[in-house]
Amino acid sequence: MARLAARILGATFVLLGLTFLVMTWRTYRRDTRIVREGLHAQGTVLRKELIAASDDREYLLHYAFTPLEGTQQKGQHAVSPELWKRLRVGDPVQVLYGREEPSRSYPEGHGVMTLGLALFLSVVLVLLSLIGGVALLGKAVPDADSQRVPRIATPTRHPSS
């Protein structure tokens, strides 16, 4: 039973690790393509939102822009505290968006996955997958009860008197 549980857990770790690894590099490639080949538009700040937790704050900027195709797009993205404090509702904001996917947009200078972050996540996810691989392919340690070998009584000979 322990072996089956270890294999299921190991397979889960491998599957999750590899899935998120692929997603990390797809996101990195998409973001760098937007930076290289993306288009710029002037957007407008619609709303600012501060999400405060006990140990952290996230500054969200809601914006709208009209790409070259002409259909208005709305987006929201986390931005630096400095940009969030500087902008007011109705202010213009430069937006960078994907040529093929205008709904994928960022306030310029924000939102792009860096190579450092992609590499860090890759190391963590590869380690997760390796741990899962060991659990999946390794041998589970048998329980102490299953290691006991039953004793078979053997007749003993008593010296004849």
Side-chain angles (χ1 to χ4, degrees):
M1 188 66 166
R3 189 175 207 171
L4 178 63
R7 288 196 173 174
I8 290 172
L9 186 63
T12 303
F13 274 41
V14 169
L15 183 64
L16 287 175
L18 294 178
T19 299
F20 284 112
L21 183 65
V22 168
M23 288 172 58
T24 296
W25 285 101
R26 278 189 180 169
T27 301
Y28 173 75
R29 286 183 53 206
R30 181 184 56 216
D31 287 356
T32 54
R33 186 174 40 239
I34 290 173
V35 169
R36 268 194 336 267
E37 303 167 4
L39 300 173
H40 299 268
Q42 182 167 319
T44 304
V45 175
L46 300 176
R47 185 166 62 104
K48 295 169 36 171
E49 186 177 359
L50 173 62
I51 300 173
S54 61
D55 60 344
D56 196 18
R57 291 182 179 189
E58 186 172 24
Y59 298 88
L60 288 179
L61 192 66
H62 298 261
Y63 55 91
F65 69 98
T66 304
L68 290 176
E69 295 78 35
T71 305
Q72 186 183 49
Q73 300 284 321
K74 290 184 179 180
Q76 72 176 31
H77 214 282
V79 295
S80 67
E82 296 79 25
L83 180 63
W84 190 86
K85 290 173 186 171
R86 183 170 45 91
L87 292 174
R88 303 276 177 247
V89 172
D91 282 354
V93 62
Q94 284 297 314
V95 177
L96 182 61
Y97 66 93
R99 204 177 281 267
E100 296 86 25
E101 192 180 0
S103 61
R104 186 72 175 174
S105 65
Y106 314 101
E108 198 163 351
H110 294 81
V112 178
M113 181 181 284
T114 63
L115 178 60
L117 179 59
L119 289 172
F120 172 75
L121 290 173
S122 295
V123 168
V124 171
L125 294 169
V126 165
L127 289 174
L128 179 73
S129 296
L130 288 174
I131 290 168
V134 168
L136 180 64
L137 301 174
K139 295 185 179 188
V141 177
D143 296 336
D145 292 337
S146 65
Q147 288 184 358
R148 292 185 186 162
V149 177
R151 290 188 171 187
I152 300 174
T154 55
T156 56
R157 293 187 182 186
H158 296 286
S160 307
S161 6

